[in-house]
Every structure is written in structure tokens, then in C-alpha cells.
Amino acid sequence: MLKLATSILSADFARLGEDILKVSAAGVDMIHIDVMDGLFVPSITFGIPVIESIRKITNCAFDVHLMIQDPERYIKDFVNAGADCITIHAESCVHLDSTIEKIRYFGVKAGVALNPSTPLHVLEYVLHKLDVVLVMTVNPGFAGQIYIKEMTRKIKELRELVQKRGLDVNIEVDGGISPKNVREVILAGANIIVAGSSIFNGNEMKNVKEFKNIFEEFGNDVPVDFRVDWNTI
Ligand code: DX5
Ligand code: ZN
């Protein structure tokens, strides 16, 4: 299934609640929450108390993208704050396997994010434990950056890998995605689309609709080729 996750990094923080209600009403599938610590990435955003507060106003799934060093320290807190999916960066985590296990232990979905320069082979021995692989299509830290072209090949290679191994792993893309290039990432095999500035700049309702109309073109699913069972060929 194709899903739209709205990054609230581009929301108006003075009206965060209202902005979240607007995009929830517009029909986004997930609220993507970028937590940054000023160490793993240069920016500092928000943390657990903010997530607890916004959890009270919407039932929309919370997709928490942790751009923090040593995320294993805070998994339980983000679960308690209301995360439905927790994604950690392979680069920020010495004990990746045990941190994934920790997320799974708490019964929420587990994701691993990869910076643009990080090769897919870091996932070799953990891929089967994941619900989501987040392919960063910009360098993490800021909204409104330009999509890194080479990431299209990375998405394709990841989709092939997931398919070859017969896994049911979502491929999420994050950074510089707009209605102009979203078809390219869907055709490459992505099925969770994060969009921040291209939703919050302008009319949210109209922008969400534009993404959703494009999803309709694909029948709201990943292209047929990716649903072929490669083991039977
Ligand atoms: C960047 C964040 C993204 C960011 C995307 O480090 O992980 O989620 O908000 O913003 P846009 O869609 O504007 O590139
Ligand atoms: Zn993000």
C-alpha cells in the first residue's frame, strides 16, 4: 500500500496542534515526527513532551524518526509518548540489532534509516526483523532540501533485495519529495512517502490531495512488478 507521511518539521510550531488536525483531516496516513538532538545532526527539534501533547489530539499513526545519537537510551520513552513506529539511524547506533529488538519488544513497528552515503549491506543481518527501511533522500537535519538523484537506484536495489528475500518490509523515502518527483520514487519501489515542505507550504488540503491523486494513478499500491514472487521465476 502507498502511504503518505507528513513531516511536521515544516509545520508552524506556534500552531502545531491546528496544523496536525488539518493534515489528519486532509487524509494523511501518518504523522512523521523528526526528533533531532544537535549531535547526530546539527539541528535540535523537539522531544518526548511535545509528542505526548500531540498524541492527545489525533489518532493518526505516529512515525517517529529518531535522528539522535545512541537512540537505545530513549526507546521506552518514545513508546510511552505514543509512537506507533520508531525508526533509528544505522549510523547513530553501535548495537543496531539489540536496539531493533528493543523496539520490537515494546510492540511498536521498527524501522532503520540510512543516510544517503550508507550502503544497503549494513542491513544484511537485520532486514528480516524490520517493518520499515527509511531511505534518506537528503542528508538528515533540515527540511526543504533537494532530492539526491542517486537515491533512486538505492530504492530500486532495496526493493529488489526485499523481494528476493520474500520479505514484507516497507520502503520509506524522506527528503525533497514533491508531486513532481514522487512518481519516480514509487516506480523505484518506495511505498511510504514522507513529505514536509511540499505539504505545509501552501494549502495543506490541496497538497495532500495532489499526492493522493498520484497514488490513485498507481492503484494505491506499489507497481505490479514488485509484487511478483521472485522465488517462483
Ligand atoms: C530531514 C527530515 C525530513 C524532513 C523532510 O532530516 O528527516 O523528514 O522534514 O522535509 P522535506 O519534505 O521538506 O524535504
Ligand atoms: Zn524524517
Side-chain angles (χ1 to χ4, degrees):
M1 277 294 284
L2 294 175
K3 289 191 174 158
L4 185 61
T6 310
S7 166
I8 55 168
L9 191 55
S10 295
D12 176 353
F13 290 162
R15 299 165 196 274
L16 185 57
E18 287 168 44
D19 275 3
I20 288 173
L21 292 177
K22 258 193 234 168
V23 290
S24 305
V28 297
D29 302 291
M30 283 181 268
I31 303 292
H32 181 88
I33 301 173
D34 290 302
V35 179
M36 305 188 189
D37 67 351
L39 189 63
F40 177 63
V41 288
S43 310
I44 300 175
T45 54
F46 38 69
I48 290 145
V50 171
I51 299 176
E52 280 170 348
S53 299
I54 59 175
R55 182 71 288 176
K56 295 181 192 134
I57 64 159
T58 177
N59 290 326
C60 200
F62 278 3
D63 178 32
V64 177
H65 177 191
L66 295 183
M67 285 160 276
I68 65 175
Q69 200 56 48
D70 305 324
E72 59 275 17
R73 296 172 296 155
Y74 293 107
I75 302 303
K76 192 176 176 193
D77 301 286
F78 283 105
V79 171
N80 290 338
D84 296 286
C85 177
I86 296 182
T87 296
I88 52 175
H89 268 262
E91 307 85 0
S92 74
C93 191
V94 177
H95 299 288
L96 187 61
D97 179 79
S98 71
T99 309
I100 293 166
E101 289 294 354
K102 198 166 183 177
I103 298 172
R104 285 163 53 111
Y105 170 82
F106 288 111
V108 299
K109 292 197 170 14
V112 168
L114 302 179
N115 284 340
S117 68
T118 303
L120 293 175
H121 68 69
V122 300
L123 299 172
E124 179 71 16
Y125 302 107
V126 294
L127 189 60
H128 60 289
K129 298 183 177 182
L130 299 177
D131 298 289
V132 178
V133 175
L134 192 165
V135 176
M136 285 305 303
T137 45
V138 298
N139 285 292
F142 305 95
Q145 300 182 76
I146 292 169
Y147 178 83
I148 299 172
K149 269 276 171 205
E150 289 71 23
M151 294 304 102
T152 302
R153 178 161 67 88
K154 193 178 192 179
I155 300 161
K156 275 187 192 151
E157 288 174 357
L158 176 58
R159 178 54 75 183
E160 279 178 20
L161 185 66
V162 165
Q163 207 74 46
K164 265 188 203 147
R165 290 179 55 175
L167 300 171
D168 187 18
V169 180
N170 292 284
I171 298 179
E172 182 169 16
V173 286
D174 185 8
I177 310 289
S178 73
K180 286 203 176 81
N181 62 6
V182 71
R183 289 179 185 85
E184 177 176 336
V185 294
I186 294 171
L187 284 168
N191 72 298
I192 300 179
I193 310 297
V194 178
S197 41
S198 58
I199 287 185
F200 284 108
N201 290 353
N203 181 305
E204 293 90 348
M205 189 68 96
K206 196 172 142 271
N207 294 337
V208 168
K209 211 168 171 28
E210 196 173 354
F211 273 103
K212 288 285 183 164
N213 286 342
I214 296 171
F215 288 8
E216 285 279 334
E217 290 172 22
F218 292 90
N220 288 309
D221 212 343
V222 291
V224 173
D225 283 357
F226 299 130
R227 280 178 265 144
V228 172
D229 180 0
W230 287 33
N231 293 322
T232 63
I233 296 172

